[in-house]
Amino acid sequence: MRDHAQMPVPRRALLASAGALLAMPALAQGGGQGAPLRIGLMLPFSGTFAALGENIAAAVELHLAERGGRMGNRTVQLIRLDDESNPANAVQNVNRLIGRDRAEALIGTVHSGVVMALVQAARERGVPLVIPNAGNAAATGELCSPTIFRSSFSNWQPAYGMGLALGKQGVKRAAWISWDYAAGNEAGSGFRDGLKAAGGEVVRELKLPFPETNFQPLLAQIPGLNVEAVGSFFAGGGAVQFVREYAAAGLKDRVPLCGSGFLTEGTLAAQGAAAEGIRTALHYGDGLDNPKNLAFRKAFKDRTTRDADVYAVQGYDAAQLLGVGLDAVRGDPTAERELVLAMRGARIDSPRGAFTLSPSHNPVQNIYLREARGGANQVIGIAAEALADPGTGCRMS
Ligand code: PHB
C-alpha cells in the first residue's frame, strides 16, 4: 500500500524557512482553536514485548487522566500504533504517525532498533520525542538532539549496576548471555564495565538473534565455562521462557543467574519458582516505599487490575515529562526552545524516586539491587547511586 508514509513531512525544513511560524500558537498547526493535541504512541502491542507496550500505554493514559486529559491547556488525543518490535517497519510506522495521523509529539518505543526511526524523525523534523523504554546508547549519545528525551534508562545503566554489585560480592569470573542486538550488546558492555570496576571479568558472551528463544544450545555450554555467575539481558515473553529453562536445565543452583532487572520485571507470575532468589539491578523495585510509588501502584492497579512494573513507571514519567514541556509552551510543541528548556530542567517526581536529566537527556537515577522473593522484586540495596549514562558522543551541553 502506498500512503503518506512514503512522503515524510519536512516540518523542520518548513519552519526554518518560515521562522515567524515558530512563534505562532498551536492553532497555526492546522487544527484551529481548541483542536486536540495529537500525541503518537508508538509501542509494541504484539510480539515478545507486547506486555511492556501495554503497561507503558496504560500508564501514559493514567497520567493524562490525572491531568484531566489536557496538556498545555489542550485536550490530548493519543494515537496508538503497534510497532511489533519490528525494525523493518519502523520508518514506515513513524511516517504514518507524523504524516497520516499528524502527530505533533511522540512517545515511543520499547525496542532499541525500532527507536532509531523515531530518533531520526525527531532529529530531522524537530518533533518532541520521549522514549519510554528503548535504552540504546545512540539516542542519548552520538545521535542526541534537543528534542529527544528519555524517561527510562540507557542499556548500560542497570547492567553496570549489576556487574558492580556482583564484583563487590567477590565474583571474579562471569559469563554474559543475551539477544544479539543493541540492547543485549550494550547491556553486556555495562555488565562488563561494572564487573571490571569491582575486580572481576566477563570471560564469555553467549548470544542468539532477537527474538529467538532457542536457548538450549547456549545453556548446554554454561557448565563447561567455569564461571561463578551468569549475567543476562532478556525481557518480556523471552525472559519468562529463559528463566524457566535455566532452572529446568538444573543450572539455577549451580551457577547463579543475574542480570538487568528486565529479566524478572512484569514476568514473575509466569516464571514462578524458577525466578525465586534471582538478583537483578534496575532503576525500580516493587516495594519502594515512597508516597509517589504507593499512590502510583494503587492508581495503576485500580485502572488496569495489573500490578505496576518498571514499564508502567517509565510510561507514566514519559507523560509527566512531556506534560512539563507542553505546559511551558501552552500546548504549542513547535515552540522548541522553550519546550526543550523546560523539559531538560525538569525534576520528575517518579515512583522510582525523583530524577533529573543528564546533559544528554537521560535520567540520572539510582540503580537498585533487587531479589525476586514471593512474586515481587524486593529492593535489597543500591547497586549504583545517582548513576548517569556517560552520553558518549553527545555534543549537547
Ligand atoms: C531495548 O530494546 O532497548 C529493550 C527492550 C526491552 C527491555 C529493555 C530494553 O526490557
Side-chain angles (χ1 to χ4, degrees):
M1 186 182 77
R2 181 169 167 78
D3 61 20
H4 307 280
Q6 314 300 325
M7 295 171 272
V9 181
R11 199 189 83 174
R12 175 160 271 183
L14 278 176
L15 291 177
S17 65
L21 268 183
L22 281 170
M24 290 177 73
L27 50 117
Q29 298 290 296
Q33 186 116 41
L37 175 67
R38 290 177 295 270
I39 299 178
L41 210 50
M42 182 163 134
L43 292 166
F45 297 113
S46 59
T48 200
F49 291 157
L52 289 59
E54 291 292 355
N55 271 8
I56 291 169
V60 168
E61 286 164 4
L62 169 63
H63 182 62
L64 197 55
E66 288 172 355
R67 299 171 131 260
R70 298 170 84 77
M71 286 185 180
N73 216 19
R74 283 175 78 188
T75 301
V76 171
Q77 181 188 348
L78 294 173
I79 305 157
R80 281 186 181 223
L81 189 150
D82 178 10
D83 67 31
E84 303 168 344
S85 295
N86 184 354
N89 296 339
V91 170
Q92 189 180 33
N93 283 334
V94 174
N95 286 338
R96 267 193 194 150
L97 279 176
I98 298 176
R100 183 189 67 187
D101 301 329
R102 290 178 296 135
E104 298 165 66
L106 298 166
I107 295 178
T109 185
V110 167
H111 183 283
S112 270
V114 176
V115 83
M116 293 306 284
L118 289 160
V119 165
Q120 193 186 349
R123 285 170 64 83
E124 290 175 2
R125 307 174 195 188
V127 182
L129 166 66
V130 183
I131 303 170
N133 187 73
N136 71 333
T140 55
E142 61 192 23
L143 296 180
C144 74
S145 189
T147 58
I148 299 175
F149 294 85
R150 202 148 34 197
S151 64
S152 51
F153 57 90
S154 73
N155 290 319
W156 181 89
Q157 281 178 307
Y160 178 85
M162 189 65 245
L164 193 63
L166 203 62
K168 285 183 179 169
Q169 284 164 29
V171 168
K172 296 283 177 235
R173 287 170 57 88
W176 175 256
I177 180 165
S178 68
W179 279 311
D180 187 9
Y181 82 112
N185 294 328
E186 291 170 6
S189 300
F191 183 71
R192 185 184 289 274
D193 289 352
L195 188 56
K196 191 169 168 202
E201 63 174 328
V202 174
V203 297
R204 185 69 180 272
E205 291 192 10
L206 303 169
K207 298 178 188 182
L208 76 170
F210 176 88
E212 284 182 17
T213 52
N214 181 19
F215 301 119
Q216 291 305 321
L218 302 181
L219 293 175
Q221 295 178 45
I222 290 173
L225 294 178
N226 187 23
V227 291
E228 299 148 82
V230 171
S232 62
F233 168 88
F234 292 106
V240 171
Q241 196 175 327
F242 178 73
V243 165
R244 288 164 73 154
E245 290 191 21
Y246 197 90
L251 290 166
K252 188 168 183 280
D253 298 324
R254 288 170 69 184
V255 193
L257 177 63
C258 64
S260 294
F262 314 109
L263 186 68
T264 56
E265 195 66 18
T267 55
L268 286 174
Q271 289 163 335
E276 196 67 15
I278 291 181
R279 288 192 174 181
T280 59
L282 201 64
H283 46 292
Y284 185 64
D286 295 323
L288 284 178
D289 191 13
N290 67 64
K292 186 77 183 180
N293 191 38
L294 299 177
F296 169 72
R297 292 188 74 88
K298 180 178 183 320
F300 189 84
K301 182 102 186 188
D302 288 349
R303 194 177 172 90
T304 64
T305 72
R306 301 191 293 272
D307 285 322
D309 58 14
V310 76
Y311 307 108
V313 171
Q314 293 167 171
Y316 189 79
D317 292 344
Q320 290 205 77
L321 183 56
L322 196 55
V324 167
L326 289 168
D327 284 350
V329 295
R330 296 158 302 282
D332 176 7
T334 66
E336 185 176 311
R337 187 185 296 265
E338 213 183 330
L339 177 107
V340 169
L341 261 179
M343 289 175 74
R344 72 180 322 184
R347 183 174 184 278
I348 299 298
D349 185 14
S350 169
R352 77 191 82 174
F355 71 84
T356 55
L357 297 174
S358 68
S360 61
H361 298 178
N362 195 71
V364 178
Q365 54 195 343
N366 288 342
I367 303 297
Y368 302 102
L369 185 63
R370 307 114 47 91
E371 191 171 294
R373 274 193 223 136
N377 287 297
Q378 302 289 356
V379 173
I380 58 169
I382 296 183
E385 202 172 344
L387 185 67
D389 179 82
T392 307
C394 176
R395 287 190 294 276
M396 284 193 308
S397 58

Short mmCIF file of all heavy atoms in Angstrom, two decimals, residues 75-101:
data_model
loop_
_atom_site.label_atom_id
_atom_site.label_comp_id
_atom_site.label_asym_id
_atom_site.label_seq_id
_atom_site.Cartn_x
_atom_site.Cartn_y
_atom_site.Cartn_z
N THR A 75 -6.69 19.69 24.89
CA THR A 75 -7.12 18.30 25.03
C THR A 75 -6.18 17.41 24.24
O THR A 75 -5.83 17.73 23.11
CB THR A 75 -8.55 18.14 24.47
OG1 THR A 75 -9.39 19.01 25.20
CG2 THR A 75 -9.04 16.71 24.62
N VAL A 76 -5.73 16.33 24.86
CA VAL A 76 -4.78 15.44 24.19
C VAL A 76 -5.51 14.25 23.57
O VAL A 76 -6.37 13.63 24.19
CB VAL A 76 -3.71 14.95 25.17
CG1 VAL A 76 -2.85 13.85 24.54
CG2 VAL A 76 -2.83 16.11 25.63
N GLN A 77 -5.12 13.96 22.34
CA GLN A 77 -5.62 12.74 21.67
C GLN A 77 -4.41 11.81 21.48
O GLN A 77 -3.44 12.19 20.82
CB GLN A 77 -6.21 13.12 20.32
CG GLN A 77 -6.77 11.94 19.57
CD GLN A 77 -7.18 12.34 18.14
OE1 GLN A 77 -7.24 13.52 17.80
NE2 GLN A 77 -7.44 11.34 17.32
N LEU A 78 -4.48 10.64 22.08
CA LEU A 78 -3.38 9.68 21.92
C LEU A 78 -3.67 8.80 20.71
O LEU A 78 -4.77 8.29 20.54
CB LEU A 78 -3.25 8.80 23.17
CG LEU A 78 -2.82 9.51 24.45
CD1 LEU A 78 -2.90 8.54 25.64
CD2 LEU A 78 -1.40 10.07 24.33
N ILE A 79 -2.66 8.63 19.87
CA ILE A 79 -2.82 7.79 18.67
C ILE A 79 -1.89 6.59 18.82
O ILE A 79 -0.67 6.73 18.77
CB ILE A 79 -2.46 8.57 17.40
CG1 ILE A 79 -3.29 9.85 17.33
CG2 ILE A 79 -2.66 7.70 16.16
CD1 ILE A 79 -2.67 10.92 16.49
N ARG A 80 -2.48 5.42 19.02
CA ARG A 80 -1.68 4.20 19.24
C ARG A 80 -1.26 3.56 17.93
O ARG A 80 -2.08 3.45 17.02
CB ARG A 80 -2.52 3.15 19.96
CG ARG A 80 -2.68 3.34 21.43
CD ARG A 80 -3.40 2.10 21.94
NE ARG A 80 -3.63 2.19 23.37
CZ ARG A 80 -3.45 1.17 24.21
NH1 ARG A 80 -3.06 -0.01 23.77
NH2 ARG A 80 -3.68 1.30 25.49
N LEU A 81 -0.03 3.11 17.88
CA LEU A 81 0.41 2.34 16.72
C LEU A 81 1.26 1.18 17.19
O LEU A 81 2.20 1.37 17.98
CB LEU A 81 1.22 3.25 15.77
CG LEU A 81 1.56 2.64 14.42
CD1 LEU A 81 1.66 3.72 13.35
CD2 LEU A 81 2.87 1.87 14.46
N ASP A 82 0.93 -0.02 16.76
CA ASP A 82 1.66 -1.22 17.16
C ASP A 82 2.89 -1.39 16.26
O ASP A 82 2.74 -1.67 15.07
CB ASP A 82 0.74 -2.45 17.02
CG ASP A 82 1.45 -3.75 17.37
OD1 ASP A 82 2.58 -3.70 17.89
OD2 ASP A 82 0.86 -4.83 17.12
N ASP A 83 4.09 -1.24 16.84
CA ASP A 83 5.30 -1.38 16.01
C ASP A 83 5.84 -2.81 15.98
O ASP A 83 6.83 -3.09 15.31
CB ASP A 83 6.38 -0.39 16.44
CG ASP A 83 6.95 -0.67 17.84
OD1 ASP A 83 7.01 -1.84 18.26
OD2 ASP A 83 7.36 0.30 18.50
N GLU A 84 5.21 -3.69 16.75
CA GLU A 84 5.55 -5.13 16.75
C GLU A 84 7.01 -5.41 17.10
O GLU A 84 7.52 -6.51 16.86
CB GLU A 84 5.25 -5.75 15.38
CG GLU A 84 3.82 -5.59 14.93
CD GLU A 84 3.62 -5.95 13.47
OE1 GLU A 84 4.61 -6.02 12.73
OE2 GLU A 84 2.47 -6.17 13.07
N SER A 85 7.72 -4.41 17.58
CA SER A 85 9.18 -4.54 17.82
C SER A 85 9.90 -5.01 16.56
O SER A 85 10.86 -5.77 16.64
CB SER A 85 9.49 -5.49 18.99
OG SER A 85 9.00 -4.95 20.19
N ASN A 86 9.43 -4.52 15.42
CA ASN A 86 9.99 -4.95 14.14
C ASN A 86 10.74 -3.78 13.47
O ASN A 86 10.10 -2.88 12.90
CB ASN A 86 8.87 -5.46 13.24
CG ASN A 86 9.42 -6.00 11.93
OD1 ASN A 86 10.62 -5.89 11.65
ND2 ASN A 86 8.56 -6.56 11.12
N PRO A 87 12.06 -3.80 13.51
CA PRO A 87 12.82 -2.69 12.93
C PRO A 87 12.55 -2.49 11.44
O PRO A 87 12.65 -1.37 10.94
CB PRO A 87 14.29 -3.09 13.16
CG PRO A 87 14.25 -4.09 14.27
CD PRO A 87 12.93 -4.80 14.14
N ALA A 88 12.17 -3.55 10.74
CA ALA A 88 11.97 -3.43 9.28
C ALA A 88 10.83 -2.49 8.94
O ALA A 88 10.82 -1.89 7.86
CB ALA A 88 11.71 -4.81 8.69
N ASN A 89 9.85 -2.34 9.82
CA ASN A 89 8.70 -1.47 9.53
C ASN A 89 8.78 -0.13 10.24
O ASN A 89 7.83 0.67 10.18
CB ASN A 89 7.39 -2.16 9.97
CG ASN A 89 7.13 -3.42 9.18
OD1 ASN A 89 7.68 -3.57 8.09
ND2 ASN A 89 6.33 -4.31 9.72
N ALA A 90 9.87 0.12 10.93
CA ALA A 90 9.91 1.26 11.86
C ALA A 90 9.77 2.61 11.15
O ALA A 90 8.99 3.47 11.57
CB ALA A 90 11.19 1.22 12.69
N VAL A 91 10.49 2.81 10.05
CA VAL A 91 10.44 4.11 9.38
C VAL A 91 9.03 4.37 8.85
O VAL A 91 8.48 5.46 9.02
CB VAL A 91 11.49 4.16 8.24
CG1 VAL A 91 11.29 5.40 7.38
CG2 VAL A 91 12.90 4.13 8.83
N GLN A 92 8.46 3.36 8.26
CA GLN A 92 7.11 3.50 7.72
C GLN A 92 6.11 3.82 8.85
O GLN A 92 5.23 4.66 8.69
CB GLN A 92 6.72 2.19 7.03
CG GLN A 92 5.44 2.31 6.26
CD GLN A 92 5.06 1.01 5.58
OE1 GLN A 92 5.35 -0.07 6.09
NE2 GLN A 92 4.44 1.12 4.44
N ASN A 93 6.27 3.15 9.97
CA ASN A 93 5.36 3.40 11.09
C ASN A 93 5.47 4.83 11.61
O ASN A 93 4.47 5.47 11.91
CB ASN A 93 5.63 2.40 12.22
CG ASN A 93 5.04 1.02 11.90
OD1 ASN A 93 4.08 0.92 11.15
ND2 ASN A 93 5.63 -0.02 12.46
N VAL A 94 6.69 5.31 11.72
CA VAL A 94 6.88 6.69 12.20
C VAL A 94 6.28 7.68 11.20
O VAL A 94 5.59 8.64 11.59
CB VAL A 94 8.38 7.00 12.42
CG1 VAL A 94 8.57 8.46 12.77
CG2 VAL A 94 8.95 6.12 13.51
N ASN A 95 6.50 7.43 9.93
CA ASN A 95 5.95 8.33 8.92
C ASN A 95 4.42 8.32 8.92
O ASN A 95 3.78 9.33 8.64
CB ASN A 95 6.50 7.97 7.53
CG ASN A 95 7.95 8.40 7.39
OD1 ASN A 95 8.40 9.29 8.12
ND2 ASN A 95 8.67 7.77 6.49
N ARG A 96 3.86 7.18 9.24
CA ARG A 96 2.39 7.11 9.38
C ARG A 96 1.92 8.04 10.48
O ARG A 96 0.96 8.78 10.32
CB ARG A 96 1.98 5.70 9.76
CG ARG A 96 1.67 4.92 8.57
CD ARG A 96 0.96 3.63 8.90
NE ARG A 96 1.05 2.87 7.68
CZ ARG A 96 1.10 1.57 7.59
NH1 ARG A 96 1.03 0.84 8.67
NH2 ARG A 96 1.20 0.99 6.43
N LEU A 97 2.59 7.95 11.62
CA LEU A 97 2.16 8.77 12.75
C LEU A 97 2.28 10.26 12.44
O LEU A 97 1.39 11.05 12.74
CB LEU A 97 2.98 8.43 14.00
CG LEU A 97 2.54 7.19 14.77
CD1 LEU A 97 3.49 6.90 15.91
CD2 LEU A 97 1.11 7.37 15.31
N ILE A 98 3.40 10.62 11.84
CA ILE A 98 3.63 12.05 11.60
C ILE A 98 2.89 12.53 10.36
O ILE A 98 2.33 13.63 10.33
CB ILE A 98 5.14 12.34 11.47
CG1 ILE A 98 5.86 11.97 12.78
CG2 ILE A 98 5.38 13.82 11.17
CD1 ILE A 98 7.35 12.13 12.72
N GLY A 99 2.88 11.70 9.32
CA GLY A 99 2.27 12.10 8.06
C GLY A 99 0.76 11.91 8.08
O GLY A 99 0.00 12.87 8.14
N ARG A 100 0.32 10.67 8.10
CA ARG A 100 -1.12 10.39 8.03
C ARG A 100 -1.87 10.92 9.26
O ARG A 100 -2.90 11.57 9.15
CB ARG A 100 -1.34 8.88 7.91
CG ARG A 100 -2.79 8.48 7.77
CD ARG A 100 -2.96 6.98 7.88
NE ARG A 100 -2.65 6.50 9.23
CZ ARG A 100 -2.59 5.22 9.58
NH1 ARG A 100 -2.81 4.29 8.66
NH2 ARG A 100 -2.32 4.85 10.81
N ASP A 101 -1.30 10.65 10.44
CA ASP A 101 -2.03 10.96 11.68
C ASP A 101 -1.70 12.34 12.23
O ASP A 101 -2.27 12.76 13.22
CB ASP A 101 -1.73 9.90 12.74
CG ASP A 101 -2.14 8.51 12.27
OD1 ASP A 101 -3.10 8.41 11.48
OD2 ASP A 101 -1.48 7.53 12.67
#
